[in-house]
Amino acid sequence: MRDPSLIRNFCIIAHIDHGKSTLADRFIEKARVIDARKMQNQMLDNMDIERERGITIKSQAVALEYEAKDGKTYTLNLVDTPGHVDFSYEVSRAISSCEGALLLVDATQGVEAQTLSNMYMALEHNLEIIPVINKIDMPAADPEGIKRQIEHDLGLDPDGALLVSGRFGTGVDELFEAIVARIPPPKEKASDQLQALIFDSHYDPYRGVIVHLRVFGGKIVPGQRIRLMYNNSEYVVEETGQFRIVLAKNDGLSSGEVGYIVAGIKTVSDVRVGDTITDATNPASEPLPGFREVKPVVFSSIYPLDAADYDELKEGVEKLKLNDASLVYDKDSSLALGFGFRCGFLGLLHLEVVQERLEREYDQSIIMTAPSVRYKLKLNSGDTVFIDNPSTYPDPSRIESAEEPYIKAQIITPVTYIGNLITLCIGKRGAQTSFTHLDEKRVELVFEMPLAEVLFDFYDKLKSTSRGYASFDYDVIGYRPTKLAKLDILINDKPVDALSQLVYEPGAYERARKVVERLQGAISRQQFKIAIQGAIGSRVIARETINPVRKDVLAKCYGGDISRKHKLLEKQKEGKKRMKMVGDVEIPQEAFLAVLRENEEKER
């Protein structure tokens, strides 16, 4: 058990790609947590996807031993946090387990949208913020200009900003000293009742759920009976320890410490991020504040490419759920694609990560239906229902009104791209609420727009329109009225349920047009004509036709009476008509993928 005055708990917060994980690598290197031969880039990112994309998906923690200039050895508990908006709740829990934060700003990019939102989150939790200007080794670095931004945009003291290079380790020693000097030690709680905040967890196939926690009061030791306050489940602690890249076992965790516990918990969903752990025999009177249920905002169905692989997909989804408690799923079925799962995600990045993990880690070949949001419908009977699946959409005559989720989108962009970005947002049904000049070069735009409009190609278009310079952050702000319609796709007058979508009615024609055009290119020609239609109810709003493969029945007619040729053509026509009545069009998997691929070249 350590003296709380020798503990510093801090996190690194920043916009995506401002160098959080690289700086964490330098901390680990300097503190000699791991043998130099075993060091690798993005040490705290242990998923292949995190390394390839250069993003952090799961928050990680590591305990660093540091001998300061005053001769004392301090334990610095670093919590590395995700930067993407989809994981903002995880960031808020990681922040609440610390007393200080390093606010990282890229010396070439400056203050961006998530830099602001993460700083406000840290201020809400009364954290001591140390501004750090990273990537000073880059040719385009402008530390003095960034200091002015820190003062003007963030309202922080620019003289207190430290200049570092996460890549080369420049300024890391001074940063260590600043953490010890400026970040306060954990506060002592008056009560000795156990209160520990869960800020993350991961699943070990042999030991069950390993809970990542910060102890705020009391102590937690092996053999102690604990209670998870959200669902009142009780367990006996088998092991406690600290994170030193590997799990380092110890004899207990006391107030102010960050570490892990193993308690034979077999179900990840029992362990909720933000929940409070207390002693079962002497429980705390109330949990730590800030806990909330994480609710999915984007929905999509997952099907195996081959219907015979359903059991393997089921096993893969169940295993993934053990590692990702925020994934919500239920059984689903489709006439076209067979059995699958309806899944809820925290956002589009979360959806992509789940898709990639299923394909890589669990070797699954899958099709995902077009992502949708959850709509709120008020029926004529007075009932209110929430739907996210086109198959559950009720008869339009029963619907009195419909509402869809809206977001507050914050975009920070160089002045050059303002016009194009405003046009993009208005085209996505956005309403501008704020326009602020941050300095002579950058502007902050705030729009309120439907979440459904952001799902498809908004982020790609934002980046291409601004040449990668604009940054984007959003919060869901509630439901607003909308005109909702169910778009059905019919192949030879037969609806294909897996291609149905819930759409904004005035934009339905454009969506239907794209879908039927892509299907026309993906479905192979048959002996008969194939009609591909997009329809709302009984009203067809878009159509493409795949012409039949024709056999030359006149090849054997050398001259002779024209009526003989007419007779052969009529016979062929009748045959094709009969074939169309009994023949089914087989839709290849590539056709589904062509329709559902979000970043289709035609949209760019």
Side-chain angles (χ1 to χ4, degrees), residues 20-29 33-48 50-52 80 166-167 245-246:
K20 294 188 296 295
S21 299
T22 308
L23 183 60
D25 288 347
R26 300 294 79 77
F27 281 146
I28 291 164
E29 212 169 56
V33 175
I34 193 168
D35 193 300
R37 290 172 301 173
K38 294 180 181 176
M39 262 312 281
Q40 58 179 346
N41 289 338
Q42 289 175 259
M43 199 71 211
L44 293 181
D45 292 344
N46 48 26
M47 287 187 219
D48 289 342
E50 291 182 309
R51 294 179 182 286
E52 285 173 22
D80 186 26
R167 190 169 160 204
I245 304 299
V246 294

Side-chain angles (χ1 to χ4, degrees), residues 131-206:
V132 179
I133 300 172
N134 191 24
K135 303 189 185 181
I136 57 166
D137 56 285
M138 300 287 277
D142 178 19
E144 291 308 312
I146 305 303
K147 281 186 179 181
R148 288 194 295 274
Q149 288 184 22
I150 287 171
E151 182 177 25
H152 184 267
D153 301 356
L154 306 178
L156 301 175
D157 181 7
D159 297 331
L162 296 161
L163 305 179
V164 303
S165 166
R167 190 169 160 204
F168 296 110
T170 314
V172 172
D173 290 326
E174 291 80 1
L175 191 49
F176 266 128
E177 285 297 323
I179 291 166
V180 169
R182 291 162 63 176
I183 293 176
K187 290 177 185 171
E188 287 281 353
K189 282 252 182 183
S191 167
D192 61 352
Q193 289 176 319
L194 172 62
Q195 276 187 312
L197 174 77
I198 299 172
F199 64 84
D200 199 10
S201 66
H202 73 271
Y203 188 79
D204 184 295
Y206 303 106

Side-chain angles (χ1 to χ4, degrees), residues 366-417:
I366 57 174
I367 292 177
M368 299 192 80
T369 60
S372 171
V373 298
R374 178 167 277 169
Y375 294 95
K376 184 178 176 181
L377 303 181
K378 189 177 179 185
L379 305 180
N380 295 331
S381 60
D383 295 333
T384 299
V385 293
F386 289 88
I387 62 158
D388 56 69
N389 195 337
S391 64
T392 59
Y393 187 70
D395 187 321
S397 63
R398 293 176 52 212
I399 301 170
E400 184 182 313
S401 62
E403 293 182 8
E404 65 180 329
Y406 262 66
I407 59 166
K408 177 183 168 190
Q410 181 188 36
I411 299 166
I412 292 180
T413 175
V415 174
T416 320
Y417 309 111

Side-chain angles (χ1 to χ4, degrees), residues 89 109 133 204 275 302 316 358 364 370-371 377 380 522 524 583 586:
Y89 176 63
Q109 300 281 344
I133 300 172
D204 184 295
D275 195 7
I302 299 176
L358 279 172
Q364 298 298 310
L377 303 181
N380 295 331
S524 55
E586 193 169 307

Side-chain angles (χ1 to χ4, degrees), residues 194-237:
L194 172 62
Q195 276 187 312
L197 174 77
I198 299 172
F199 64 84
D200 199 10
S201 66
H202 73 271
Y203 188 79
D204 184 295
Y206 303 106
R207 308 169 79 189
V209 182
I210 297 184
V211 181
H212 305 204
L213 50 80
R214 153 73 195 272
V215 183
F216 278 91
K219 61 183 179 180
I220 190 165
V221 293
Q224 183 177 357
R225 189 163 193 82
I226 55 165
R227 180 183 297 162
L228 304 178
M229 294 188 79
Y230 176 71
N231 55 14
N232 284 322
S233 51
E234 295 187 5
Y235 298 94
V236 176
V237 178

Side-chain angles (χ1 to χ4, degrees), residues 461-517:
K461 284 186 175 173
L462 178 89
K463 286 297 177 188
S464 59
T465 302
S466 66
R467 297 186 185 175
Y469 285 107
S471 63
F472 174 65
D473 189 30
Y474 72 85
D475 293 305
V476 179
I477 55 173
Y479 281 84
R480 295 194 184 169
T482 187
K483 291 178 180 177
L484 188 63
K486 180 186 175 187
L487 173 64
D488 288 313
I489 302 300
L490 292 80
I491 310 287
N492 272 353
D493 300 326
K494 293 179 184 174
V496 182
D497 59 345
L499 295 176
S500 296
Q501 298 178 30
L502 295 172
V503 296
Y504 177 60
E505 192 170 0
Y509 168 75
E510 192 181 331
R511 181 73 58 84
R513 181 86 259 140
K514 282 180 184 171
V515 173
V516 297
E517 282 174 3

